[in-house]
Amino acid sequence: MNYFMNLVMSGLVIGSLYGMVAMGFAIIYRATGMVNFAQGEVMMLIAYMSYTFATIPGMTFVPLMVCVLTASIALGLLIEWAFIRPMLGEPMFSRVMVTIGLAVVIRSVVILIWGVEPTAFPRPFGNEVIRFGEMALYPGQIFALVSLAVLSLAMWLFFRRSRVGIAMRATSNNETTALLMGINVKRISAIAWALSAVFAAFSGLAFCLMFSLEPEISQMGLRGFPATILGGLDSVVGGALGGLVIGVVENLAGGYLGRGLKEIAGFVLIIIVLMVKPYGLFGQREIERV
Amino acid sequence: MRSRTYQNSYAGLVALSSQPTVWVWAAIGILALAMMPALFGSFGLNMLTAIFVASIGVLGLNLLSGVAGQISLGHAGFLLIGAYAQAILTTDYKVPTLIAIFLSGLVAAIASLVVGIPSLRLKGLYLAITTLAFTFIVRHVVLYADSITRGSAGMPVDALSVFGFSLKGDVRFYYAALVMLLLFVLITLNLMRSRMGRAWLALRDHDIAARAMGIDLMRYKLLAFMVSAFYTGVAGAMMALQTRFINVDTFSILISIEALAMIIVGGMGRIHGAILGAALIIILPELLSLGFTAAGDRFKTLMADRIYEVKGMMYGIVILLFLRLEPEGLAGIWRKLKRFWVQWPLSK
């Protein structure tokens, strides 16, 4: 039982990382109808940038977060302005390929600048295990779980209550009508990219606090796809939930069925899920009109 | 001077080529390629061979993504299956190498049903992600089924021989690759003028309209996946025969991206585009490394240490530039050049 609980717990922790990545995918899909294949690479770039910030002498956690979030919002806006906006109106294939091209470029630039060696990331919360009864968690793991909880609550409120969130839902529903209703569609897309960069910042930081700063961070983008698909590409909060499910399933498969299965359990799961529910668990069915 | 094509019969429209001069030019082109071993050393020949082999795979991806409109990020998986099938069939089961090439294609085609069947319900981006998942799964299966695949150690591959005549060595294998490419270009040309090719085009342009016109979507989507995987499996087998040693690490996601870069650079859905794209993407790293060598020692070591990253960056930049500046790719540039030439001085 203890073994089982431990697997579930570490599954939830890694799942919260997947969840944050999935939210990053989903918000862009929601606002612009495309998948950002560069999400993992954006996460990697922000993580390396935050390493540079964190090694400034005298940097504590709160100023670090402020710096990282500002930088990530700027990065999201920059990418949207320079690469995504000019492609508006092009076929979907080209638009998605732009993000794939961007992904390989960012990855290569980061490695060329910072190198491939894993580096220990500064631990602002120390490295002591914190105990909750049976459970023992590292501060980095708690950071990941708390961030996911806060972000998904914030997103839920954002889409329900805030003006921009409702405008974003309207845009994803029907872009032309939203435009006619006076919504600034271009700004919505810029906001979505900035928000997705914020998710990337949180997930990147959580990764660094749990493991270390290494190029494998960008792999998290690919590993987060099953979570995104499971939750439904267009459901932000569903993505968070999908991440937790995938994390637990992967860990259980790895723990009970064998090491090799851990990495592919998520992908096998989504291929099965997609055969049954082609739009994921919480995704909206696309209605086609002829 | 050749100008417009005027056809007054249906047979003329679907003929392999509308102009007799095309045959003459094709013959001249093939003759020129056959003369290449006299001009190039083994380095140049190997590169040309690599271009031919890659072109076979890209033709397959082009049929699926460019012609039938199904995005695939999983062609590295099919390439891997083809290469391993070739290695395993020839070393463990003693299948003759030539037959093994086509069997490898067949194995990849059967494996493609794993992604082909979900594709019946999935569209666009969901499908792209599923094919990506496929590559991951294949890589892991190959790594962990080490009793069959030798796991991470990799496998040596027997050299190609046809009816007891060994095709070992750069020049002989060059001709083998050339013949193979010509065969697959001919197959593709014929597919495109058959009902199947036209059905795929209809599927890409509007699947609901295609269905209303009596095209069995399920059948043609699965066929597109299988044919495309067959091409790629054959390319994988040829790649294994060229390098004579295979390892899972060769078939990373970057290969799928490289293949997509090739069809974008070449021009979506065009046969000569696929070959031109493959040629450009394979020659570019060599040009780049020449440039880096000329730029001095510091850049030379950078190229040597970080070849993977420099290559990746180059693919990314090439993809971005072509998508922004010339969405029709090299095939589009070729078409414009041709029109300029034919209509001069009236061209604009």
Side-chain angles (χ1 to χ4, degrees):
Chain A
M1 198 59 203
N2 209 357
Y3 181 57
F4 175 77
M5 280 314 288
N6 268 329
L7 284 179
V8 170
M9 203 57 221
S10 52
L12 285 178
V13 169
I14 198 83
S16 59
L17 269 184
Y18 294 155
M20 283 187 267
V21 176
M23 286 165 81
F25 282 121
I27 195 153
I28 287 179
Y29 189 82
R30 206 140 195 203
T32 59
M34 63 187 281
V35 171
N36 173 21
F37 278 91
Q39 183 75 16
E41 279 71 16
V42 170
M43 192 173 147
M44 176 185 185
L45 177 57
I46 293 176
Y48 275 87
M49 279 177 5
S50 43
Y51 175 74
T52 310
F53 288 131
T55 44
I56 296 172
M59 186 61 94
T60 51
F61 185 68
V62 175
L64 174 67
M65 278 316 275
V66 174
C67 289
V68 170
L69 288 181
T70 320
S72 57
I73 289 173
L75 181 70
L77 292 176
L78 176 74
I79 291 177
E80 199 270 344
W81 174 77
F83 297 102
I84 308 303
R85 194 170 296 180
M87 296 301 291
L88 263 182
E90 298 280 334
M92 181 53 72
F93 182 81
S94 321
R95 287 166 66 193
V96 170
M97 280 313 294
V98 166
T99 67
I100 292 180
L102 202 60
V104 276
V105 171
I106 294 179
R107 205 188 126 76
S108 309
V109 167
V110 168
I111 292 181
L112 287 176
I113 296 177
W114 280 282
V116 284
E117 292 343 303
T119 322
F121 196 83
R123 311 265 153 151
F125 307 118
N127 225 347
E128 297 293 306
V129 175
I130 300 168
R131 292 196 173 277
F132 301 92
E134 287 270 296
M135 241 63 89
L137 288 173
Y138 285 103
Q141 297 179 315
I142 296 174
F143 176 79
L145 287 170
V146 170
S147 314
L148 180 78
V150 170
L151 285 178
S152 41
L153 186 69
M155 273 306 106
W156 189 76
L157 286 176
F158 173 75
F159 280 119
R160 290 285 140 147
R161 299 260 180 257
S162 81
R163 230 181 127 73
V164 184
I166 293 168
M168 199 175 275
R169 272 166 60 200
T171 314
S172 83
N173 204 322
N174 190 331
E175 203 173 291
T176 321
T177 318
L179 198 66
L180 290 173
M181 302 294 279
I183 293 170
N184 188 341
V185 173
K186 278 183 188 161
R187 207 175 69 196
I188 293 288
S189 140
I191 291 172
W193 278 84
L195 274 177
S196 117
V198 168
F199 294 143
F202 272 99
S203 46
L205 270 179
F207 185 96
C208 291
L209 289 176
M210 282 199 279
F211 308 107
S212 59
L213 184 73
E214 51 191 316
E216 269 70 55
I217 298 179
S218 64
Q219 294 285 326
M220 286 303 293
L222 295 177
R223 315 284 322 265
F225 274 126
T228 322
I229 297 287
L230 189 70
L233 260 178
D234 55 354
S235 164
V236 178
V237 183
L241 211 64
L244 293 177
V245 173
I246 294 277
V248 172
V249 167
E250 272 188 0
N251 253 18
L252 290 181
Y256 287 108
L257 302 174
R259 277 282 305 138
L261 274 169
K262 189 175 174 178
E263 269 102 56
I264 56 168
F267 287 110
V268 175
L269 182 72
I270 57 156
I271 289 193
I272 297 167
V273 166
L274 283 178
M275 284 193 202
V276 186
K277 281 183 77 78
Y279 298 101
L281 295 182
F282 303 100
Q284 262 172 18
R285 177 168 282 275
E286 279 164 38
I287 298 165
E288 274 185 77
R289 294 194 177 81
V290 184
Chain B
M1 174 59 66
R2 176 181 158 195
S3 63
R4 299 283 194 280
T5 46
Y6 301 106
Q7 297 295 343
N8 46 22
S9 74
Y10 189 67
L13 274 175
V14 297
L16 203 52
S17 168
S18 51
Q19 301 275 339
T21 46
V22 171
W23 293 110
V24 178
W25 283 112
I28 292 173
I30 293 167
L31 215 64
L33 285 176
M35 302 285 276
M36 286 298 165
L39 297 175
F40 285 102
S42 83
F43 179 74
L45 269 190
N46 269 327
M47 205 147 90
L48 277 175
T49 313
I51 291 173
F52 294 161
V53 171
S55 299
I56 298 173
V58 174
L59 278 175
L61 178 63
N62 208 8
L63 276 183
L64 184 68
S65 295
V67 177
Q70 314 288 312
I71 304 178
S72 164
L73 296 175
H75 267 56
F78 298 130
L79 204 66
L80 191 156
I81 291 174
Y84 267 90
Q86 174 75 24
I88 293 166
L89 285 173
T90 50
T91 50
D92 291 351
Y93 296 96
K94 305 287 174 223
V95 178
T97 42
L98 184 66
I99 299 171
I101 294 179
F102 293 98
L103 281 181
S104 309
L106 218 58
V107 171
I110 291 166
S112 78
L113 290 178
V114 176
V115 274
I117 290 172
S119 85
L120 300 176
R121 306 199 56 184
L122 304 178
K123 272 194 183 165
L125 297 169
Y126 279 96
L127 179 63
I129 294 172
T130 314
T131 54
L132 194 71
F134 173 74
T135 310
F136 265 89
I137 294 172
V138 170
R139 273 171 61 107
H140 277 274
V141 167
V142 168
L143 269 180
Y144 287 94
D146 46 6
S147 56
I148 309 170
T149 60
R150 325 288 196 271
S152 54
M155 274 185 93
V157 184
D158 286 347
L160 179 64
S161 68
V162 181
F163 306 118
F165 180 72
S166 167
L167 288 172
K168 218 164 146 181
D170 297 334
V171 179
R172 286 179 180 181
F173 192 73
Y174 170 83
Y175 284 114
L178 179 61
V179 169
M180 210 61 158
L181 175 63
L182 288 178
L183 178 69
F184 274 89
V185 168
L186 271 180
I187 295 176
T188 317
L189 282 172
N190 278 306
L191 273 180
M192 290 303 296
R193 69 198 189 95
S194 69
R195 178 181 161 89
M196 208 193 276
R198 291 194 299 274
W200 284 338
L201 284 174
L203 191 78
R204 174 190 70 185
D205 291 341
H206 203 299
D207 56 351
I208 294 176
R211 203 169 177 179
M213 290 163 83
I215 290 168
D216 184 351
L217 280 193
M218 191 171 133
R219 188 164 154 221
Y220 283 103
K221 267 192 186 175
L222 283 184
L223 266 175
F225 265 99
M226 289 181 74
V227 170
S228 169
F230 179 81
Y231 277 61
T232 316
V234 168
M238 292 295 285
M239 215 169 120
L241 286 168
Q242 192 190 1
T243 53
R244 304 286 309 281
F245 184 81
I246 50 170
N247 189 307
V248 180
D249 294 335
T250 330
F251 305 94
S252 61
I253 299 292
L254 195 67
I255 298 281
S256 291
I257 293 173
E258 200 180 302
L260 282 172
M262 286 173 183
I263 61 170
I264 287 173
V265 166
M268 301 278 290
R270 316 301 290 278
I271 292 169
H272 56 301
I275 297 168
L276 287 174
L280 185 72
I281 292 285
I282 288 178
I283 292 172
L284 256 184
E286 303 304 328
L287 288 181
L288 207 66
S289 87
L290 274 183
F292 272 47
T293 314
D297 279 345
R298 209 172 136 249
F299 287 98
K300 201 173 156 187
T301 49
L302 182 75
M303 185 74 189
D305 292 348
R306 296 267 184 265
I307 177 74
Y308 198 73
E309 279 69 39
V310 173
K311 259 183 161 178
M313 188 149 93
M314 191 198 69
Y315 296 145
I317 291 173
V318 166
I319 290 177
L320 290 175
L321 282 180
F322 266 90
L323 283 175
R324 282 290 295 276
L325 303 177
E326 183 56 69
E328 276 186 75
L330 290 173
I333 295 178
W334 172 250
R335 189 176 58 81
K336 281 173 196 160
L337 271 179
K338 212 160 73 176
R339 189 198 282 158
F340 180 83
W341 186 251
V342 168
Q343 298 183 342
W344 194 85
L346 296 172
S347 53
K348 55 172 169 97

